[in-house]
Every structure is written in structure tokens, then in C-alpha cells.
Amino acid sequence: MTLSTNSPAVETGGRSTPTSRPIWIRWLTKFVAWSVGLLAVGILSVTILVTVALAVAFPNLPDISDLSDYRPKLPLRVYSSDGVLIGEFGEERRNLTPIKDIPKVMVDAVLAIEDARFFSHGGVDYKGVARAALANLGRMKSQGASTITMQVARNVYLSAEKSYTRKIYEVLLTFKLEHLLTKDQILEIYMNQIFLGNRAYGFASASEVYFGKQLKDINIAEAAMLAGLPKAPSTANPVANPKKARNRQLTVIDRMQETGFITAEQADAAKAQELKVRAGPDEARLHAEYVAETVRQLVFAQYGDEAYTRGLNVYTTLKSVEQDAAYKALRKGIMDFERKQVYRGPEKFVDLAADAKLSEETIDEALSELPDNGDLLSAVVLEASPKRVLAVRQNGEQLEVTGEGLRLPQSGLAEKAPPKIKIRRGAVIRVMKTGKGNWEITQQPEVEGAFVALDPRDGSIRALVGGFDFDKNKFNHVTQAWRQPGSSFKPFIYSAALEKGFTPSTVVNDAPLFFDAGVTGGQPWEPKNYDGKFDGPMPLHTALAKSKNMVSIRILQSVGAQNAQDWVARFGFDAEKHPPYLTMALGAGSVTPMQMATAYSVFANGGYRVNPWLITRITDQKGKVLVESQPPARNESMRAIDERNTFIMSRLMQEITRSGTAAKAQATLKRVDLYGKTGTTNDAIDTWFAGYQPTIAAVVWMGYDNPRKLGDTATGGVLSLPIWISFMETALKGVPVREPAAPEGVVNVGGEWYYEEYARNAGIGSLGLSDKMPGDPNDPKTNDPSLMNSDGQPPATPAPTEEKKSILDLFRN
């Protein structure tokens, strides 16, 4: 039989021949074969491309070996002597915290929301990377799939650019980090490096910024709030947007429960807990901004820009308790003065809409521009009448002011008040709590002040307040304000007189003096006492206690202005700022409060010149001491004046605080070891009190930056002394009474102390001081009877013509 070629396939051994297979099977086989081949080629190509990319990219990756010793940018921090933070400088607020010191609740919260598989994966979440790549395709927007290791790679080394190239580098860096570092090291870097808003870097810093507490003290609710910040740290933090921050916090709490870090009961409790967020500056902090700025300048001069990134810790001589007392005393003194001034009106006016939401936004914007100033709070008026003012704070708190709280702004509440000062709806005003807990309307003060306290034994600065408010006026009045000291300068003239034979019992005439134009070269000068009265002959100790100007001038005439200028330079004053003319007797020169404190320290420590100093040591972030400073031990090379002089001057100034112009000091503080002098310049432009106890010297100044009269009743005893007393109530608490012992070379006669060589003349004064009067007897002006003083003696030789106008600067009390 002949078989046709078109005959069907014959089964052989139970198998069909190829001709028996359907055509679609043959095509499918070919497709699979080609697909596998192409896939293999593709994989090979990709492998080659990746290999080439790695070969090109890997050498360009940054060296990450330094991360094994992680050293982020750390700010410059300034501390008081007892370790209280008073200042922080640098772009990044950060407290470097080892992983072992980070509480478990904080770690759990971060892992729950950021990377729950952190300890089990190799650094890359492949599903997340794929999802991010698809999202980037066309939209260039990350879906947030990065692991903690990837975030460390990005935050430490890479830019914020969103591209495939950066993503490749990020993945490569991640592998490199996982190979080089342990999981704990990576987590430690993340917890310290991440930006969390408000200049806070790392969770330890954020805990202090938002909650005012150390990281170790936070609870679940607070940890969840902090852990939610990395997603949008600037716009969704609890200060910038509390609502968004709250929503994110709830998400974190849910994730902590889902991942098993907390129980359902703990989650419910955390959600219900009300958080106390610091919405502004921490008012409980120690206010030492002028000190911190001074330290910043000194450290920057030494280290340059590196000062702000090395994590330097600077420790100062400041006593935190005394600094706080000084700050509060000065502010209270200034605000007490401000209550007696004319009301100058609201700081701003805004239009409040009828719609509550729009009105709230307007109020928030207005008060953001005029933030609180310590206890001087800003508020917007909602309703106003002569008997009641209703205002609202930025946090929504409404407050009512009535009665005594409306005393200052009465002129602004009057029906016919000028528009600029009228308190009405929409007015931005200042309010503060009274001692009784009620509200009062006040205003930002225009007057300024300064306070400084030194330890006279070594010159260490114990407290310094350079002005009412650092944010408002950064000019440091303690070190930069050159002002006329008035009668607070008189002790230095009396000190010079002791070296010329004067004694506390020397009698000098408190009688009128007159110098006509022929003597002054300008206008006639007829100095007066503060009270306008003349009490006639009196001993020196009484004259200083009563701050008698005529007596001081006569003493300077006798001592000689040039001799006095040389003498005051011993105390640290600049001689050229105290021209050798008679007006020096009344404090016509220029001093700073720091100079005055240094000078009075000479009286307090027995005659030694000590220089003020502030920095005790500087350490790095690990505590290694880089610089340490101690004052030199006192020795005779530092002696400025005889110890006998300081002893007698202290006795004279003790009488001032007992019965003179500063009698309120001993009466209030109930102790006798207080010494000092009030000072008020002509027309009450400046007021002073400078005083000391043997362990502390302090100076208070008040005045306007643009000099003008403080008021008819303004004196050093009225304005500056109460501030000094308030400070000393804290500084001398628990300090034993300590009066200086009589040194060798002084003797007591009739209850008064004298230099031993002058004791034989004890009690014998000189009204005319004729044996001590300067002046040329051949000069016709010196012997002109019309120019004779009431005691028949001529005035001092006149000053050169170009300086004669300074003689018209008169001072009182």
C-alpha cells in the first residue's frame, strides 16, 4: 500500500508525531522560548548596566566612615555657675543624646510610624521603593516609603532633590551605612539628626522646645506628638498648626497600638491626655540675655564661626538665683516708674470683623507682630468703657480689667480722648498681673535701666541686666552706656580728701558759692544743694550723708582738681572722662555702671583693684575642658588705695544707709553692714545707687537713652535704691552680718575713726580751709573780693575757655 504524504500521523509507541500537534501550541512554544530568551537578555543587560552604574557611582559616594564617630552641628551653649542654661547660639538647636539615654517610649513611637521593620530589614524596603518609583513617574512626588537608614543617608549626605539619580545614590548609601554601622548607631544618628521644626534638631531638643522638659521625662502622648513631626516639621508642629499636629499624633498612637508597642488602654489614655505645649518663649527660663550675648561675642572672637557648630559649653560666674532677682527687681522698678507716666496710647489698631473666624485671624496676626514681653502681655480690646475693658490674648483667653487696673489709661478711655490714644475695639494694648492677681493696663516703658553685681573679693560678675528687655533694645547699658554719675561719685572725692588730711570730723561750710562769667568764661555758675537749703558748718560725715554739694565743691577746691583726677583713676575710671574742674565734685564726668561697680568694689575689699570677669571655663560637647580661667590671687601689686582709707570711707557710707539719703536700705534689710551712695544728676536725667556689703557690690542706674528729665521727684533714693534693696533681699539671704575690722594705723576718738597721724587734731575742723585753697595769690581774679566764698576764700582757678561750658552741668543728691 502506498501512503500519501498528506496522511495523518501514525501513532508510534503511543506518541504522536509533531505533525499531529495543533498549530497554536507550536506558536505558544515559540513565544515562550523567545520571551525567556529576551528576559534573559534583559536581565543580563540590566545586570551589566547596574554593574556599570555601581562602578561609576560607588566611588563618588561620600565617605561615611566619620559617622562611626557621629559629630553633628551643635550650638554654643552658655550656662550660669550652677549649670542653668542662659543662652544658645547656632542655626541648629540640638542636644546630642546617646541611644542608651533615649527612652524606650520615644524609640517605639518613631519605629511605629517610620519603620516598624527597622531591626529586621537590610536597610531598604523594596516594596516601598517600587511604590515610590511609580509615584515619581510623572508626578515626582515621594510616597514616604523611605526606611530610617535611607532617611539618615538623605538627611546627612544628600540634597532634597527628587530624582532617580538621587534615589539611586540614596539606596547605595543605605547599603553602605548598613554595612558600616550597627542598627543602634544608625538609630542614634536619626534620633539626633532629624529636623523637627522651630530650629530643633533631634528629639531631645524638640522635647525641650515644645514641652519644656528633658526627653527622659516624656510620656506616650508627648512621644507620639514628637514622632509625628518629621513628616512636616515646619508646618504641622504643635506651635505652627496644633490641629494638624494633633491629627498626626493620633495616627502615631494608632500605629503604636497596631505594632504592639502599647496596649489599647494605653492608647486611649494617650489620646485623652491634654498636652501643655510651649507656644512662645519659656517665661520660666533664666533671663540673662545680655550676659549670653557678651559671652557669644567673646567666644566668637576666639573661635570664629566654628563657635556655633562645635558644641562648646561656656560656664560663667553668674549666680542663677541672683540673676533672676536682679532681672525681676530692675523690671519691677522700671514698671513702678512707668505707672506714674502719661498714657501714650495703644501700640496698634486693627479692624475686627463681625465674623468670629475672620476676627480671630486678625487678632492672631496682630499679636504675632507684637509678642509678649516677659510679664508684659499683649492683647486686643473687644469692648471698652471708662469702667471696664474686655480684651483677648493670642491663646483665646479673655480678660477683664476694672477698677485700679484702669488708672494709667484713664486719658485713653475718656469720651473725648484723641484718636491716637483712645482705647477702643481693635486696640492692641499691654496688660500685666498685679500683686493681687488682678489685671491692669500698662504700656511698654521708654525709660531704661541697668544693674550689675560683682563679688568685690575677686571681680566675678554675679548678676548683670543690661536693660529692660533684650529683644527690644540690645544696647548693654551696663558696659556701653556712658552716663554722668552725679552724687554717687562724691565718695571718690572724699576718699582723696582723706589722703590730704581731712577727717570725718573736719568741719566744712555748707554755704552758697558763686562763680561769675569772668571765672567760668561763660555763664555765671551758682551751684545749689538738691533741697535748695544751706545748713552752714558741718562735719564731713554729715555732709556726705546729706549729699551736700557746696561741701563737695569746697573739698575739691582744697584737694585740687588735678590731684582728684589722679586719685579717681586708681579706682579704674578713665581720667580723660573726668576733666580736672570743680564740676568733678558733683559727678560731671562719664562712667558706665560696670565702672562704678568695679570702683565701689575697691572700698568693699579693703583697697584692691579687681577686674570684672565672666567666663570660668569652656568645654567641648563631651565635657573636655578647653579653657579654664581663674582670677589672680589678691596681692599688694593690686592695691589701689590704703586699707585705712577704705575703712573710714565705709564708715562714712554706712551712715548714708543708716540716716542719710539711703536710710531705707538698713531700715528694710535689717542689717548694718550696708554701704553706698545715691546719685541724681542735674534735672533728674540720671538716677543711681551704688553700694556694697563686704561680699557683694551692686550698682543700679535709670534714665532715658535720649537724655531727658525723669521727673520732679525722681532721685537715686526714690528710683534706683528700691531696686538695689530688692536684689539684696535675695543676695544677702543667709549671709552673716560682716563689718570690716579696723586696720592698723587708725584710732578711735570719741566714737569716730581717724588716721593715726591726724588723731591729735580729731574733732578740730576748718571752716575756711584757707591753708588748702588752690589758686595763685598774684592772680587778681583769685583775690577779687566779689568772688570770695562765704568763708572768705577764693574759688578754684578757672578751667580753659574751651571747656568752661562743662561747669554748667550741675548735679544734685
Side-chain angles (χ1 to χ4, degrees):
M1 178 183 293
T2 304
L3 297 177
S4 171
T5 57
N6 295 324
S7 300
V10 179
E11 292 186 3
T12 306
R15 292 177 300 175
S16 62
T17 64
T19 57
S20 67
R21 295 176 184 174
I23 191 168
W24 65 269
I25 293 179
R26 294 199 303 272
W27 280 108
L28 179 61
T29 303
K30 292 180 180 180
F31 175 77
V32 170
W34 276 102
S35 296
V36 170
L38 289 174
L39 180 62
V41 171
I43 291 174
L44 180 62
S45 300
V46 170
T47 301
I48 294 173
L49 287 174
V50 169
T51 302
V52 172
L54 288 174
V56 173
F58 204 82
N60 294 324
L61 292 177
D63 180 13
I64 62 173
S65 59
D66 57 345
L67 276 186
S68 59
D69 184 21
Y70 175 58
R71 294 183 181 182
K73 289 182 180 179
L74 296 174
L76 166 67
R77 291 190 174 93
V78 185
Y79 297 89
S80 66
S81 62
D82 45 348
V84 177
L85 181 66
I86 62 176
E88 190 175 49
F89 301 93
E91 293 181 5
E92 303 177 2
R93 295 174 177 168
R94 181 184 282 110
N95 293 326
L96 184 58
T97 308
I99 189 65
K100 64 182 178 62
D101 295 331
I102 299 175
K104 184 177 183 299
V105 66
M106 189 70 253
V107 173
D108 290 347
V110 169
L111 293 179
I113 194 66
E114 293 293 335
D115 192 354
R117 295 177 52 251
F118 172 72
F119 283 102
S120 61
H121 63 58
V124 177
D125 183 347
Y126 295 102
K127 291 182 179 179
V129 171
R131 186 171 61 251
L134 291 174
N136 284 343
L137 189 61
R139 289 193 300 173
M140 297 294 289
K141 183 177 180 180
S142 171
Q143 293 297 302
S146 296
T147 64
I148 284 178
T149 310
M150 294 172 73
Q151 291 184 59
V152 169
R154 178 169 64 246
N155 292 334
V156 176
Y157 291 108
L158 302 177
S159 69
E161 175 195 7
K162 294 187 183 299
S163 67
Y164 288 112
T165 301
R166 198 218 63 175
K167 199 68 178 178
I168 290 172
Y169 274 97
E170 183 179 309
V171 171
L172 294 177
L173 272 175
T174 297
F175 290 140
K176 200 171 183 180
L177 285 171
E178 288 278 344
H179 176 72
L180 177 69
L181 306 177
T182 67
K183 287 289 188 177
D184 278 348
Q185 286 178 309
I186 294 171
L187 189 57
E188 179 179 302
I189 294 170
Y190 176 82
M191 300 293 279
N192 284 281
Q193 182 72 21
I194 192 74
F195 175 60
L196 299 171
N198 284 294
R199 289 178 47 225
Y201 287 78
F203 290 96
S205 178
S207 178
E208 294 183 357
V209 167
Y210 295 113
F211 302 124
K213 60 169 62 176
Q214 295 185 13
L215 187 62
K216 65 182 180 66
D217 297 324
I218 65 170
N219 53 46
I220 294 174
E222 292 164 337
M225 177 67 77
L226 296 178
L229 294 176
K231 183 175 183 180
S234 297
T235 59
N237 65 65
V239 173
N241 196 319
K243 185 176 180 179
K244 284 186 178 180
R246 169 64 173 169
N247 291 337
R248 183 66 172 166
Q249 178 208 29
L250 295 177
T251 301
V252 175
I253 294 174
D254 287 338
R255 284 290 298 154
M256 292 180 74
Q257 181 183 350
E258 291 170 10
T259 51
F261 288 123
I262 60 175
T263 65
E265 292 76 15
Q266 289 175 311
D268 292 339
K271 290 178 181 179
Q273 183 176 345
E274 183 178 351
L275 299 186
K276 294 181 179 179
V277 177
R278 280 171 45 178
D282 181 13
E283 294 308 320
R285 77 186 191 278
L286 182 64
H287 287 277
E289 293 86 350
Y290 291 96
V291 175
E293 173 59 18
T294 299
V295 170
R296 183 198 68 78
Q297 294 176 17
L298 293 172
V299 175
F300 179 78
Q302 177 72 24
Y303 294 98
D305 290 332
E306 200 177 38
Y308 306 132
T309 59
R310 284 186 60 176
L312 299 177
N313 299 307
V314 184
Y315 295 87
T316 67
T317 59
L318 222 62
K319 308 289 186 183
S320 62
V321 173
E322 294 176 12
Q323 176 65 27
D324 184 59
Y327 173 80
K328 290 177 179 177
L330 183 65
R331 283 182 68 98
K332 182 180 184 302
I334 289 176
M335 291 310 299
D336 286 346
F337 173 81
E338 193 60 42
R339 288 186 181 94
K340 301 174 183 177
Q341 306 310 300
V342 174
Y343 186 61
R344 295 183 291 274
E347 295 182 31
K348 184 178 181 178
F349 295 95
V350 294
D351 294 325
L352 298 183
D355 182 87
K357 186 175 182 180
L358 293 176
S359 177
E360 183 179 330
E361 293 176 355
T362 302
I363 290 171
D364 186 65
E365 182 179 347
L367 297 183
S368 294
E369 295 176 1
L370 298 169
D372 296 342
N373 180 342
D375 55 357
L376 209 59
L377 311 179
S378 57
V380 174
V381 174
L382 300 177
E383 301 174 13
S385 71
K387 293 186 177 182
R388 176 180 177 270
V389 170
L390 181 66
V392 63
R393 301 260 295 112
Q394 190 170 20
N395 59 8
E397 174 192 5
Q398 290 192 4
L399 51 94
E400 184 179 63
V401 189
T402 59
E404 287 295 307
L406 299 175
R407 174 175 291 185
L408 174 64
Q410 273 303 305
S411 59
L413 292 169
E415 185 178 347
K416 296 183 179 179
K420 288 185 179 180
I421 72 165
K422 188 171 181 61
I423 297 178
R424 59 183 183 272
R425 179 176 168 82
V428 181
I429 60 173
R430 292 284 169 173
V431 296
M432 65 185 300
K433 280 282 185 71
T434 66
K436 298 180 180 179
N438 300 319
W439 290 104
E440 67 173 333
I441 294 177
T442 184
Q443 58 190 349
Q444 289 269 28
E446 293 183 341
V447 72
E448 273 293 356
F451 182 97
V452 60
L454 307 179
D455 187 327
R457 296 165 294 187
D458 62 9
S460 58
I461 298 173
R462 292 169 59 164
L464 186 154
V465 187
F468 180 79
D469 177 57
F470 180 78
D471 292 330
K472 173 187 170 188
N473 187 351
K474 292 178 173 55
F475 184 78
N476 189 338
H477 296 84
V478 168
T479 59
Q480 296 176 288
W482 290 91
R483 307 294 291 217
Q484 294 173 322
S487 293
S488 62
F489 197 75
K490 287 177 181 176
F492 306 105
I493 304 301
Y494 278 64
S495 173
L498 294 181
E499 299 302 310
K500 295 297 182 179
F502 282 77
T503 72
S505 297
T506 300
V507 177
V508 182
N509 196 8
D510 177 34
L513 286 169
F514 178 79
F515 304 97
D516 70 7
V519 174
T520 66
Q523 300 179 33
W525 182 40
E526 187 175 9
K528 303 288 184 183
N529 287 319
Y530 168 66
D531 58 9
K533 300 177 181 178
F534 302 97
D535 294 337
M538 63 178 61
L540 253 66
H541 64 84
T542 301
L544 185 59
K546 293 185 176 182
S547 198
K548 290 294 185 177
N549 290 341
M550 303 304 105
V551 174
S552 296
I553 294 172
R554 282 191 165 88
I555 290 174
L556 183 57
Q557 281 182 309
S558 179
V559 170
Q562 186 60 60
N563 289 332
Q565 184 191 49
D566 295 340
W567 184 256
V568 301
R570 292 169 174 252
F571 293 84
F573 294 115
D574 297 341
E576 65 273 13
K577 292 188 179 293
H578 300 274
Y581 311 130
L582 291 184
T583 47
M584 189 197 305
L586 307 182
S590 295
V591 301
T592 66
M594 182 66 84
Q595 280 190 335
M596 290 292 280
T598 304
Y600 270 78
S601 291
V602 175
F603 290 133
N605 66 26
Y608 296 95
R609 169 84 179 279
V610 293
N611 292 318
W613 63 291
L614 182 60
I615 297 176
T616 58
R617 71 183 188 279
I618 301 176
T619 70
D620 64 15
Q621 79 275 11
K622 293 185 177 180
K624 180 182 177 182
V625 177
L626 304 177
V627 176
E628 194 158 16
S629 174
Q630 291 294 331
R634 273 192 338 211
N635 56 72
E636 287 306 304
S637 68
M638 300 166 63
R639 181 166 290 285
I641 62 174
D642 193 327
E643 186 179 6
R644 300 183 305 170
N645 190 299
T646 67
F647 176 75
I648 292 177
M649 284 306 305
S650 289
R651 301 281 296 188
L652 292 176
M653 285 189 278
Q654 187 178 40
E655 186 168 343
I656 296 173
T657 64
R658 181 177 62 249
S659 61
T661 56
K664 188 177 180 181
Q666 288 196 32
T668 303
L669 296 172
K670 308 298 182 186
R671 55 191 301 152
V672 297
D673 57 340
L674 304 174
Y675 316 87
K677 182 71 184 74
T678 55
T680 312
T681 62
N682 190 48
D683 287 332
I685 290 175
D686 301 271
T687 69
W688 296 80
F689 185 77
Y692 58 92
Q693 189 269 352
T695 63
I696 188 166
V699 172
V700 181
W701 165 83
M702 276 184 65
Y704 290 101
D705 280 339
N706 295 316
R708 69 175 192 263
K709 190 172 183 177
L710 287 165
D712 292 334
T713 61
T715 66
V718 171
L719 298 184
S720 297
L721 177 61
I723 297 172
W724 189 90
I725 292 174
S726 177
F727 168 79
M728 286 297 183
E729 285 178 328
T730 297
L732 296 180
K733 189 175 183 179
V735 177
V737 172
R738 177 182 171 185
E739 295 184 82
E744 291 185 10
V746 298
V747 295
N748 190 293
V749 179
E752 192 57 80
W753 292 91
Y754 304 89
Y755 281 13
E756 192 172 27
E757 59 267 32
Y758 301 139
R760 63 182 181 276
N761 295 322
I764 302 176
S766 172
L767 293 178
L769 310 177
S770 59
D771 59 330
K772 299 181 182 296
M773 297 299 295
D776 183 356
N778 298 317
D779 186 340
K781 289 182 180 179
T782 302
N783 294 299
D784 185 347
S786 66
L787 299 181
M788 292 295 176
N789 300 328
S790 60
D791 55 7
Q793 301 303 319
T797 304
T801 303
E802 61 271 17
E803 296 290 344
K804 287 174 184 173
K805 61 180 180 180
S806 67
I807 209 168
L808 299 175
D809 285 327
L810 312 183
F811 294 80
R812 55 178 175 151
N813 197 28

